[in-house]
Amino acid sequence: MPAIYSFKLLIKLILSIGAFILLSYCFHPGRFAKNTYDHIDIDDIPDHLSCSPEFSKVCQIEQSPFCVVLLNRRMKKLAYPNRDVSESFLRNLSTTLHINPGGVWKPLECISKFRVAIIVPYRDRAMQLNIFLSYMHPFLQAQMLEYRIVIVEQSEHLPFNRAKLFNIGFVETLKIHPYHCFIFHDVDLIPQNTNNIYACTHQPRHMSSSVNTFRYNLPYNDLFGGVVSMLKEQFEDVNGFSNAFYGWGGEDDDFWNRLNYKGLQICRFSPDVAKYVMLSHKKEPPSQTRYISLKAGMKRFESDGLNNLNYKVLKLEYHPLYTRILADLISADVPYESQ
Amino acid sequence: MVDMKSDNFTTVVTEKNPLCCCEYLNLKQERSHILGYCCDCQELDDGVERLISGKETTSKYSICDVIKDRLRVPWIGGAKKIAPSDILPVILQPILAFVAAQNYFLLIVVFVIIFLMLFNLRDYLIKTHLNTNFYVIWALTSAILIFAVFELKVVPLLEIVPIENVQLFCLLGLSIFFIYKVRKTCLPPQISLDDKTSLSNCSSVYCRICQKLYPVRTYHCKICRVCIPKMDHHSFWLGCCIGERNHGFFLMSLIFLISALLYATNLILTTICQPFLLFNIILLPENCSDVYYESDLSYNLFLSKFQHCSMLCQWNVLSISGSIVAAPVASAMLVYISGYYKQGMVQLQM
């Protein structure tokens, strides 16, 4: 029965081709996250840190009167935030930790070579903000940094625009004090390892490369969202974030493209050091905007960003634990077409 | 018209004219095609006529018989007949998973229903359908479902590392391999020990059903209708007897299947829930409360984005329920291995 035999052969062929396609789909490397990537080892961290301009000549000196970058190489236990913070505890925090109005602190017994502004966009998440503030102040003080926490709040109308709030926070903070290092921080991310130094490296740094909601893996190599640190000059060089991303997602990938366009390389700390825990459980599919080609965005990099920033500051308040900027976005921004 | 067609068709299957994969011989030994499922409704006509007139009709077969006979899948050398209880799991499982994906209350309800159903159906099936493949198909469907959900819905969230995928693949592959081996070595070799010379009288037992002598610890299985040396039990999940020949394979398949299911469940749950690190090494799910509602996404979402997200959440829950569907398989196997259920086994006389 040759007909039956050839038929069986055909079935076998189809099945094996199907199995091959299935296997190559299942094991395609592009579908997976990473747990190893190029990073700065914990021992090399002090060499990579960038000091404030006035200390640039003495940046490598690690003795008094300057503060020492404390690294605990044996640290194994991860820190977790205390999730129920009472109002009275928060009220007393500024006096117990000697924080100046506006969420400003500097070490008393030594001079910090790092002056850092932490910009946090915010809307309507009081619970998370309380946890964030009660955790971050002791965390930053343990690292002997001179810092300020700036909460940039968006007024009620218009959808949330994280990227534009970063730009506003950057511009307004520079009016208060000439910080040289900026950390763009989400309110729901909490660093778990004290070795994750909150100062700028010479290259822009993706700080939250190992978040618990991503199973402590890096979803893709071009991810540059969550917590990001940058020098003032670099941020001005790339013309800040795009103002056009309302709602969720895409702005970090666009920012990555801007860095790429200007030829800026990013760096990360090792997965052990860069561990973060996320307070909210928002789950979104990885945004497709990361596939926007560099060419399509390139036209906007020069025209959309810090140089066309359009907003109105409604309130500038110095709260005990943070500087609050309430901003009203004036929407003249041309939004990206949804992909 | 119909008669003419059946006349034109050669009713005899010859070497020159074998059945194609979609053809079969029906109850009257006529050649039929799968696509003709709703054609040639002689039995339906007769049934309706009988209902109206109340007279006996000439047709040999009832409507049910014909429907059962026509339920077939394409197969090499003619379409294969499948029992209605065999396709039940394939339909039932996705429906149950979808219902469970709606909210937390329904998840609990479905979970309880599945458990009660699987254990009560067993007693019913032992009495009526001894040779059913219901449990085999159920196990297979849940394995395929969990794998599909993992590959199509969980991996694209970009949180799984390649090595974890490979590990899961290997575990599943090994368990399937050992289940295959168990089923291959199901029945005992045909050389029964009936020659009385080789067995002394005190170390042998006589089976009245097979009318043969066997070594001790042999049991007769009502379902397989054979005597199995050193029989442990008849496994409904694998659809075969566990005895002397496949005991080792059975144990291995249990170990690999349970570890594969637990691993898949852990991977899925740590991806869609909030995980935490136990002893800085093991990642375990901590908080899955947000899977069912999207109130956390209270930021002003664009409508399309929102719909996309809610779709995603639905599918995430489906994956949970998928793993829960698979979980009874593992637990039931654990119960079975303890030898608690020994139904279907006939004690032989010494």
Side-chain angles (χ1 to χ4, degrees):
Chain A
M1 289 187 284
I4 286 273
Y5 279 130
S6 63
F7 184 66
K8 278 186 179 173
L9 208 69
L10 188 73
I11 294 267
K12 266 185 192 170
L13 194 71
I14 290 170
L15 281 179
S16 49
I17 289 171
F20 178 74
I21 291 171
L22 186 76
L23 283 179
S24 42
Y25 173 74
C26 288
F27 291 108
H28 189 274
R31 299 173 68 228
F32 296 99
K34 290 190 178 110
N35 54 4
T36 51
Y37 41 82
D38 291 341
H39 59 76
I40 297 167
D41 275 333
I42 186 162
D43 297 321
D44 303 333
I45 287 176
D47 303 335
H48 282 81
L49 295 177
S50 170
C51 301
S52 279
E54 58 265 43
F55 300 114
S56 57
K57 280 180 186 155
V58 291
C59 199
Q60 296 305 322
I61 300 172
E62 290 232 347
Q63 52 188 329
S64 60
F66 300 113
C67 300
V68 181
V69 177
L70 289 168
L71 292 172
N72 181 1
R73 285 169 188 81
R74 292 225 190 118
M75 211 194 81
K76 283 275 176 279
K77 206 170 181 309
L78 293 176
Y80 281 90
N82 176 18
R83 282 180 194 250
D84 26 66
V85 183
S86 66
E87 288 290 330
S88 58
F89 173 77
L90 215 59
R91 243 177 281 130
N92 297 331
L93 200 63
S94 60
T95 46
T96 50
L97 296 178
H98 308 290
I99 299 163
N100 299 325
V104 182
W105 186 81
K106 63 178 172 187
L108 298 170
E109 57 270 25
C110 57
I111 300 165
S112 178
K113 291 176 284 186
F114 310 104
R115 290 186 177 155
V116 188
I118 294 157
I119 316 283
V120 185
Y122 170 80
R123 177 190 255 183
D124 183 33
R125 298 248 182 137
M127 193 67 197
Q128 286 177 12
L129 185 64
N130 289 348
I131 298 169
F132 178 81
L133 291 171
S134 69
Y135 184 90
M136 286 309 282
H137 278 292
F139 180 88
L140 293 167
Q141 291 184 1
Q143 295 183 349
M144 296 290 188
L145 305 168
E146 189 179 334
Y147 69 88
R148 173 190 291 267
I149 294 181
V150 182
I151 306 289
V152 194
E153 195 173 342
Q154 187 179 335
S155 63
E156 268 165 29
H157 77 279
L158 287 179
F160 192 65
N161 189 334
R162 176 176 175 269
K164 192 167 179 177
L165 291 179
F166 279 142
N167 286 344
I168 294 167
F170 177 81
V171 172
E172 289 299 317
T173 309
L174 278 181
K175 285 180 192 166
I176 300 166
H177 188 90
Y179 289 96
H180 88 296
C181 170
F182 285 81
I183 290 177
F184 301 98
H185 208 301
D186 274 358
V187 73
D188 57 0
L189 283 171
I190 300 287
Q192 290 188 280
N193 193 327
T194 42
N195 296 335
N196 192 356
I197 302 293
Y198 266 52
C200 284
T201 39
H202 298 301
Q203 294 162 318
R205 177 157 119 249
H206 181 218
M207 295 173 77
S208 61
S209 52
S210 177
V211 185
N212 77 329
T213 32
F214 296 140
R215 307 183 71 243
Y216 292 113
N217 293 328
L218 183 68
Y220 49 98
N221 212 14
D222 302 357
L223 185 69
F224 199 64
V227 185
V228 159
S229 76
M230 257 182 132
L231 294 171
K232 178 185 152 229
E233 296 79 30
Q234 290 166 343
F235 194 72
E236 282 167 346
D237 187 33
V238 298
N239 199 14
F241 281 86
S242 164
N243 294 318
F245 285 93
Y246 285 89
W248 271 115
E251 77 284 344
D252 37 8
D253 297 309
D254 177 78
F255 194 54
W256 162 269
N257 283 345
R258 283 169 183 248
L259 294 180
N260 237 347
Y261 176 64
K262 288 283 176 185
L264 283 169
Q265 292 289 311
I266 69 151
C267 66
R268 295 186 173 102
F269 284 170
S270 73
D272 291 337
V273 175
K275 277 194 164 58
Y276 277 78
V277 63
M278 199 183 256
L279 295 176
S280 68
H281 313 147
K282 63 168 192 280
K283 243 325 157 192
E284 351 161 22
S287 79
Q288 293 300 307
T289 39
R290 69 193 163 103
Y291 298 117
I292 291 183
S293 66
L294 214 66
K295 226 175 176 181
M298 237 154 76
K299 283 176 250 158
R300 319 197 62 166
F301 294 164
E302 305 289 346
S303 60
D304 173 23
L306 286 177
N307 58 6
N308 75 335
L309 196 58
N310 197 2
Y311 67 97
K312 204 166 72 194
V313 174
L314 299 180
K315 271 178 196 163
L316 175 61
E317 297 168 340
Y318 296 99
H319 286 260
L321 294 176
Y322 57 94
T323 306
R324 176 175 181 244
I325 300 168
L326 179 66
D328 190 39
L329 311 191
I330 298 160
S331 172
D333 314 308
V334 187
Y336 270 104
E337 290 124 34
S338 60
Q339 294 292 306
Chain B
M1 176 69 191
V2 172
D3 286 333
M4 259 177 69
K5 203 177 177 184
S6 61
D7 278 342
N8 287 344
F9 248 37
T10 37
T11 50
V12 195
V13 180
T14 59
E15 280 198 8
K16 269 187 181 174
N17 192 7
L19 289 171
C20 90
C21 69
C22 297
E23 285 176 329
Y24 61 96
L25 295 175
N26 69 5
L27 288 170
K28 296 167 193 160
Q29 295 303 313
E30 288 164 353
R31 242 184 129 114
S32 325
H33 199 274
I34 283 185
L35 294 178
Y37 189 88
C38 297
C39 310
D40 190 14
C41 307
Q42 181 73 41
E43 282 76 17
L44 184 67
D45 294 347
D46 289 348
V48 173
E49 210 178 303
R50 195 169 57 193
L51 190 72
I52 296 164
S53 63
K55 284 179 204 158
E56 275 293 311
T57 47
T58 50
S59 101
K60 254 162 73 183
Y61 306 103
S62 72
I63 302 170
C64 269
D65 289 339
V66 177
I67 289 175
K68 274 186 199 166
D69 184 53
R70 288 185 182 180
L71 215 55
R72 282 164 192 267
V73 282
W75 205 260
I76 302 164
K80 231 183 183 179
K81 197 173 164 180
I82 42 170
S85 66
D86 292 352
I87 39 168
L88 195 63
V90 182
I91 301 163
L92 208 58
Q93 265 195 32
I95 292 174
L96 282 175
F98 183 76
V99 171
Q102 299 312 309
N103 61 43
Y104 190 67
F105 173 72
L106 281 174
L107 177 79
I108 304 274
V109 170
V110 167
F111 195 16
V112 171
I113 285 176
I114 287 175
F115 235 93
L116 291 178
M117 188 189 72
L118 285 183
F119 281 91
N120 287 319
L121 213 60
R122 218 179 129 273
D123 296 337
Y124 166 74
L125 286 172
I126 282 175
K127 285 172 197 146
T128 55
H129 303 75
L130 272 179
N131 286 323
T132 182
N133 277 327
F134 179 83
Y135 285 91
V136 183
I137 308 264
W138 183 282
L140 207 65
T141 316
S142 50
I144 291 170
L145 197 69
I146 197 169
F147 184 72
V149 165
F150 178 78
E151 289 294 338
L152 298 175
K153 287 291 156 189
V154 175
V155 170
L157 287 169
L158 282 171
E159 292 177 26
I160 304 289
V161 179
I163 189 75
E164 288 165 335
N165 185 45
V166 173
Q167 281 163 353
L168 182 67
F169 213 85
C170 289
L171 281 176
L172 271 175
L174 277 170
S175 51
I176 285 168
F177 170 73
F178 280 111
I179 287 170
Y180 172 76
K181 287 296 261 185
V182 167
R183 282 184 66 102
K184 270 274 161 183
T185 53
C186 224
L187 299 172
Q190 283 306 306
I191 31 148
S192 55
L193 300 154
D194 55 345
D195 45 332
K196 288 172 189 170
T197 49
S198 65
L199 283 170
S200 67
N201 217 17
C202 56
S203 67
S204 61
V205 285
Y206 181 69
C207 178
R208 270 183 291 183
I209 304 160
C210 306
Q211 306 203 325
K212 278 174 192 168
L213 264 182
Y214 289 105
V216 277
R217 290 177 65 199
T218 301
Y219 291 86
H220 183 85
C221 178
K222 277 188 204 165
I223 299 155
C224 303
R225 296 202 182 101
V226 282
C227 276
I228 309 284
K230 290 189 186 168
M231 179 180 174
D232 187 72
H233 68 280
H234 180 90
S235 171
F236 277 84
W237 296 104
L238 302 183
C240 78
C241 267
I242 309 303
E244 189 181 21
R245 288 183 72 205
N246 54 8
H247 215 256
F249 291 137
F250 179 67
L251 270 176
M252 295 304 278
S253 69
L254 275 185
I255 290 165
F256 281 113
L257 194 66
I258 290 169
S259 44
L261 288 176
L262 284 178
Y263 193 51
T265 312
N266 188 41
L267 285 183
I268 292 174
L269 290 184
T270 46
T271 303
I272 64 177
C273 303
Q274 189 89 337
F276 74 103
L277 270 178
L278 188 69
F279 307 128
N280 274 359
I281 311 166
I282 311 160
L283 201 65
L284 289 176
E286 188 183 23
N287 188 345
C288 292
S289 57
D290 286 283
V291 176
Y292 279 100
Y293 51 90
E294 307 91 12
S295 63
D296 237 84
L297 302 163
S298 57
Y299 284 95
N300 295 312
L301 293 155
F302 290 133
L303 194 66
S304 61
K305 202 84 177 167
F306 181 83
Q307 278 167 346
H308 189 88
C309 226
S310 57
M311 277 292 287
L312 184 86
C313 292
Q314 299 277 318
W315 269 101
N316 287 341
V317 183
L318 186 59
S319 63
I320 297 187
S321 18
S323 49
I324 285 166
V325 168
V329 181
S331 54
M333 281 186 166
L334 272 175
V335 173
Y336 273 47
I337 195 180
S338 66
Y340 179 66
Y341 284 105
K342 295 263 182 188
Q343 290 177 16
M345 283 165 73
V346 176
Q347 182 90 45
L348 303 184
Q349 284 179 340
M350 288 285 273

